[in-house]
Amino acid sequence: MPGSIQLSRYIPFLKSLFPQKNPVIQKLSVDVWLDDIFIYLTIEDVICLRRVNKTLFLMTHEPIIWKRFLVRLPVPIPPLRPTLRWSLDLTGFQIEQLVAKAMIADDNWRRISPVFSWSRPEFAFYEVLELKLLPGGQYMVASVKDSASRRFYICIFCLDHPDPNFPPLARHSVPSRAFNIEARFLTWEDRPGIMIFYSMRLPEDGKLRGYDLSELSNNPNVEPPYPIRHESVSMFVDMTALEVLSDPSITRRSQAFRSRAAMLSQPFRKAMHFISDCPIEFPSLFEFDGRPFAALVSGPEEIVLINLTTSQVSSIKCQRIPFFDYAHKICAFRVLPKQNQVLVIRSLRLRKLERDHRYRPQDRHTMELHILPDAGQLGVMSLPEEYIMLDDGNVASVHISDSYEPLRGDDHPFLHDPNARPLPLAVYMCWEDLGGVEQINVHPLLSYDQRWYYNLDWNQTQATVKDPEHHVRVIPGVQRALMYTVPLDDRSDKPKIKTLGRYCNPYSHDVAYPHGFPPEGDFSVLRYRYVRPTKDYAPIKCSSNVFQHIAEKGCNAITWDESTGRVCMATQKNMKFLILDVRKIVAPDDRFAQWRRLQAMANNA
C-alpha cells in the first residue's frame, strides 16, 4: 500500500464502526489487526486510532507494534539498555517510550524554535557536585556531598521511575570530591553494567591541614595549598541490581522492595585505581574487541590507556613536533581503537607580533594522529603519524564528539550495523572572549580492505557560533551538540548560564544513520517531519522558574542526553536538581497493569 493512511480525518467514521452493541470491526481477530492492518499505519495513525475506544486503546499498546516501529525508525534512537529483555511483553511499554522519546527529541532538534515544555525538580538527598547522564536518559550518575562537606559519595539515580523523588538506587562512599565523571554501559567480567570513571585529589601524606580540597577548582592549573596526589578510579555497577531496584511496579515503601534490596550484594566493584603525581585530565571510556578500556591524560603530554579487565597499563608521550620548539599541551583526545590510533588536539604557546609592535601570548593548535602503544608498554615516545595546523587563537576548551556504539543484549534486535559508514568526528574549539565555538568535522574514508578510518586530510570547518555579548560553550554528543552562553566576566566553575541552545550543522551532507537495512516494501513510519533547520544555532525556550534561579545563582553541574534531549542541571548549595524534558512522557503505573490483565483476557477469548 503506497504512502500512509491518514486516520485522523476518519476518526468519526471509525467510531461509527464501533457502536455500543455488536461492533463490526471488533469481530476481526487481534492477529489480523497486528499483521495485516497496523503494518501499513504510521505512528501518528496508531495514536489517532487509540482514541476510538477502549478495545483499540488496548490493542495499540501491543509491544509488537512498537518493536516494529523501533527497528525501522529513521531517527537516532536511545540505546537499548544491555539488560533490556526484548522478547518479554512486559517491556512493551518501555519500547513505546523509546519510540516516543526518539521522535520528540528529533523533531524538537529540527524545529526553528526548540522548546523544553516539561520540567521538574528532583530531590537528590545530598548537595550535587557533578552529573552525568547515561545514554537513554533513564540512569544518571552524580557526585554528591553532605551539607557539612565531610562525606562524599557517588550515587546512581533512576529518573523515569513513577515514584516521585525516588532515592538513589546505589551509593558509594569516596574519600574526597569526585569530579570529571564519565559513565558508560560496558561489559566487565562477562556481565553488562555501568562503568563509572572519576578523579579525586588527596593529600600526599594523608593530612588535610584544615583545608577543604573539595573547594578547589577542577582546573588542573590551580595551585594546591600543599602537596597532593591525583587519583582516578573506575567502578563497575551490575545492571541486574539496578533493574531490580528500579522496577516501576514496586514502590520503595513496600515490603517487596525491602526484601529485594536486602537480597542484593554490594553493587559497586572496583575495576581500576590509578595514582599519579601529575594532574589527571580528560578521562574517557571505550570498548575494543569486547574488552573495556579507560584512557586519561597525565601531565601535559602523556596519554595513559588501562585495560579494565587485566589492569594492564600502557602509555605514550607525545613529543614536540619538529620546528615548533615551544611548550605543547594536550587539549583533548579521542581513542580510535578500530584503526589503532588516537586523535589528539594540542596547543602550542607562541609569541605573535601585533601591529602596535607589542607582544601578546597567542596559541597555535594542531590536530594529530598517534599510533597506540603495544599492551604493557609505558612511556613510549611518539611523534604524530600525521598532523595539520588549526586556526591561531586562545581557547578556553576543546571537545571531540564520541563514537559510541551501544551494547547489544542477548535477544536485542540488530539496530546498529558495525560495518556502516561511521559518523564524522566533530571537533569543537571554544575560543576565549567573543570568538564563539568553531566546529570542524573529520570525515571517515573507506580503505582498500573495506574498513573505515579517519584521515586528517578530510577535515572541514563547518560553522562558527558566536554571541555578541556572551561566551559560547558546548557539550558535545555523538551526532548533536548542546550549547549554552555565559557572561564574559564569568570564568568560574559555576557559571551563570543565560541561554541553552541546540546546534545543528547546516553544511553537513546527509549521512545515513548507522542502522541495519530496512525491511522490504513501503513501510512508512512517520507521516510528518520537520526539515533540517537553516540556522545552525537556536536558543531553546524554557519557562521553568527553577532554570531562571540556576541562571542567576550559577550552574554547579549540567549534563544532557542527546538521544532523548533530556538536560539535568543543579546549582550550588542545593539538594535538588532540575530535569528539563522536551515533552512529558507518561510513566507506567498500576492502571497500566490493569489494562494488561484485560488485554490478556481479550487475547485468550
Side-chain angles (χ1 to χ4, degrees):
M1 180 181 294
S4 62
I5 305 174
Q6 298 186 7
L7 289 179
S8 57
R9 67 181 68 177
Y10 298 121
I11 287 182
F13 170 72
L14 289 172
K15 288 184 177 180
S16 67
L17 297 179
F18 287 87
Q20 294 182 355
K21 296 182 179 180
N22 302 322
V24 178
I25 293 185
Q26 195 166 349
K27 295 180 180 180
L28 296 176
S29 66
V30 176
D31 293 337
V32 173
W33 278 98
L34 298 180
D35 299 333
D36 298 323
I37 298 179
F38 282 117
I39 59 174
Y40 296 109
L41 305 184
T42 65
I43 294 176
E44 295 91 341
D45 295 335
V46 173
I47 297 300
C48 291
L49 197 62
R50 181 175 291 179
R51 297 160 53 191
V52 175
N53 62 12
K54 292 183 179 180
T55 301
L56 288 178
F57 177 84
L58 293 174
M59 200 178 301
T60 53
H61 281 95
E62 276 291 333
I64 187 61
I65 300 174
W66 300 99
K67 290 177 182 179
R68 287 171 179 167
F69 281 142
L70 185 66
V71 298
R72 293 156 35 209
L73 206 61
V75 301
I77 61 175
L80 301 181
R81 303 190 310 277
T83 52
L84 182 66
R85 298 291 300 275
W86 178 267
S87 58
L88 290 180
D89 287 347
L90 296 177
T91 63
F93 192 81
Q94 300 180 36
I95 300 300
E96 182 178 343
Q97 283 187 324
L98 289 176
V99 174
K101 290 178 180 179
M103 288 175 49
I104 293 170
D106 192 70
D107 286 344
N108 192 61
W109 218 251
R110 292 170 178 264
R111 293 177 60 179
I112 298 177
S113 300
V115 61
F116 285 122
S117 60
W118 176 254
S119 64
R120 71 180 193 272
E122 287 287 332
F123 191 59
F125 299 87
Y126 301 95
E127 182 179 339
V128 177
L129 302 175
E130 193 165 329
L131 300 172
K132 182 65 178 180
L133 271 172
L134 272 297
Q138 179 177 1
Y139 294 105
M140 184 180 70
V141 180
S143 171
V144 300
K145 70 173 182 178
D146 63 359
S147 58
S149 297
R150 294 182 179 179
R151 294 180 176 87
F152 301 87
Y153 303 98
I154 295 289
C155 294
I156 300 179
F157 292 88
C158 177
L159 304 184
D160 288 339
H161 199 280
D163 203 357
N165 295 322
F166 197 72
L169 299 177
R171 186 187 69 180
H172 175 69
S173 178
V174 293
S176 181
R177 174 191 178 186
F179 61 96
N180 288 342
I181 294 180
E182 285 293 321
R184 194 163 182 166
F185 291 122
L186 288 175
T187 300
W188 185 65
E189 295 184 352
D190 297 328
R191 297 188 66 86
I194 299 176
M195 189 67 73
I196 305 172
F197 194 24
Y198 59 91
S199 301
M200 296 185 299
R201 297 190 185 107
L202 295 171
E204 197 174 54
D205 56 2
K207 299 179 181 179
L208 292 176
R209 297 180 177 86
Y211 192 89
D212 188 4
L213 290 179
S214 66
E215 298 297 330
L216 283 179
S217 169
N218 292 347
N219 192 329
N221 299 323
V222 66
E223 290 291 336
Y226 46 80
I228 62 175
R229 70 176 186 268
H230 304 268
E231 300 185 5
S232 281
V233 181
S234 183
M235 304 294 296
F236 179 79
V237 181
D238 195 332
M239 282 295 299
T240 304
L242 299 182
E243 293 283 355
V244 171
L245 295 176
S246 60
D247 187 350
S249 63
I250 298 179
T251 61
R252 70 176 187 270
R253 297 181 180 88
S254 63
Q255 183 60 38
F257 180 85
R258 297 189 184 94
S259 301
R260 288 188 178 188
M263 295 173 59
L264 297 174
S265 59
Q266 173 66 28
F268 286 88
R269 297 176 58 192
K270 183 179 293 185
M272 180 274 299
H273 192 171
F274 179 81
I275 301 176
S276 174
D277 295 332
C278 302
I280 295 174
E281 299 181 83
F282 317 122
S284 64
L285 296 166
F286 65 96
E287 189 177 35
F288 182 54
D289 286 341
R291 295 171 296 174
F293 284 82
L296 54 89
V297 172
S298 179
E301 58 184 15
E302 186 175 14
I303 299 176
V304 181
L305 308 172
I306 306 170
N307 187 328
L308 297 179
T309 302
T310 63
S311 299
Q312 192 174 49
V313 181
S314 311
S315 68
I316 61 172
K317 290 188 176 181
C318 301
Q319 292 183 283
R320 293 184 178 182
I321 301 176
F323 312 112
F324 294 101
D325 192 17
Y326 304 95
H328 290 45
K329 186 183 184 304
I330 298 176
C331 295
F333 78 101
R334 179 69 61 200
V335 179
L336 308 175
K338 290 187 176 181
Q339 63 189 66
N340 197 38
Q341 289 181 319
V342 54
L343 177 68
V344 181
I345 309 295
R346 287 202 286 178
S347 291
L348 288 66
R349 295 290 294 180
L350 300 174
R351 295 280 180 172
K352 186 175 181 180
L353 186 63
E354 299 287 336
R355 291 183 179 180
D356 56 359
H357 303 288
R358 292 185 301 175
Y359 284 94
R360 177 187 175 189
Q362 191 84 1
D363 287 350
R364 300 188 69 180
H365 309 281
T366 62
M367 183 186 299
E368 311 167 9
L369 282 176
H370 292 258
I371 298 294
L372 293 178
D374 294 334
Q377 288 190 333
L378 297 174
V380 178
M381 307 303 291
S382 174
L383 282 172
E385 288 285 302
E386 55 179 305
Y387 73 92
I388 59 173
M389 302 301 301
L390 303 178
D391 293 341
D392 296 352
N394 295 330
V395 295
S397 60
V398 181
H399 307 272
I400 305 176
S401 63
D402 201 354
S403 54
Y404 181 73
E405 294 184 7
L407 294 179
R408 183 170 178 265
D410 296 334
D411 61 347
H412 285 185
F414 203 80
L415 298 179
H416 185 90
D417 186 1
N419 297 320
R421 183 183 189 272
L423 294 168
L425 288 176
V427 179
Y428 298 91
M429 310 286 291
C430 299
W431 303 105
E432 293 182 353
D433 301 325
L434 294 175
V437 175
E438 179 184 2
Q439 194 246 321
I440 306 169
N441 270 358
V442 181
H443 297 277
L445 296 176
L446 190 62
S447 64
Y448 66 91
D449 57 351
Q450 302 301 306
R451 293 185 179 182
W452 293 101
Y453 71 100
Y454 294 97
N455 187 294
L456 299 186
D457 292 335
W458 288 78
N459 75 89
Q460 180 183 15
T461 301
Q462 301 295 294
T464 301
V465 180
K466 295 183 179 181
D467 188 281
E469 299 179 353
H470 301 93
H471 288 300
V472 183
R473 297 295 178 258
V474 64
I475 307 177
V478 178
Q479 305 182 51
R480 302 161 175 159
L482 180 73
M483 293 188 177
Y484 59 93
T485 59
V486 299
L488 285 175
D489 58 349
D490 192 344
R491 298 178 181 271
S492 65
D493 289 340
K494 305 173 181 61
K496 298 178 180 179
I497 296 179
K498 296 304 180 183
T499 60
L500 290 173
R502 66 105 173 99
Y503 173 75
C504 184
N505 185 359
Y507 303 111
S508 64
H509 57 276
D510 292 334
V511 178
Y513 292 120
H515 288 228
F517 295 100
E520 296 181 359
D522 184 11
F523 294 92
S524 300
V525 178
L526 300 171
R527 186 195 306 165
Y528 302 111
R529 297 303 316 283
Y530 288 94
V531 297
R532 182 180 291 274
T534 56
K535 293 184 179 180
D536 49 2
Y537 173 82
I540 304 177
K541 297 180 181 179
C542 180
S543 58
S544 171
N545 294 329
V546 181
F547 176 76
Q548 301 301 328
H549 173 77
I550 293 177
E552 295 175 0
K553 299 298 182 180
C555 179
N556 202 36
I558 180 171
T559 182
W560 82 296
D561 172 53
E562 65 172 313
S563 61
T564 59
R566 170 171 287 176
V567 176
C568 295
M569 308 173 65
T571 186
Q572 55 183 336
K573 297 181 180 180
N574 197 325
M575 291 193 178
K576 291 184 178 181
F577 60 89
L578 176 66
I579 301 177
L580 298 174
D581 280 326
V582 178
R583 197 83 54 84
K584 181 181 179 181
I585 302 296
V586 179
D589 55 13
D590 294 336
R591 292 178 301 169
F592 194 76
Q594 183 180 1
W595 298 335
R596 277 290 179 210
R597 291 192 294 269
L598 294 176
Q599 193 175 35
M601 294 173 60
N603 291 336
N604 296 330

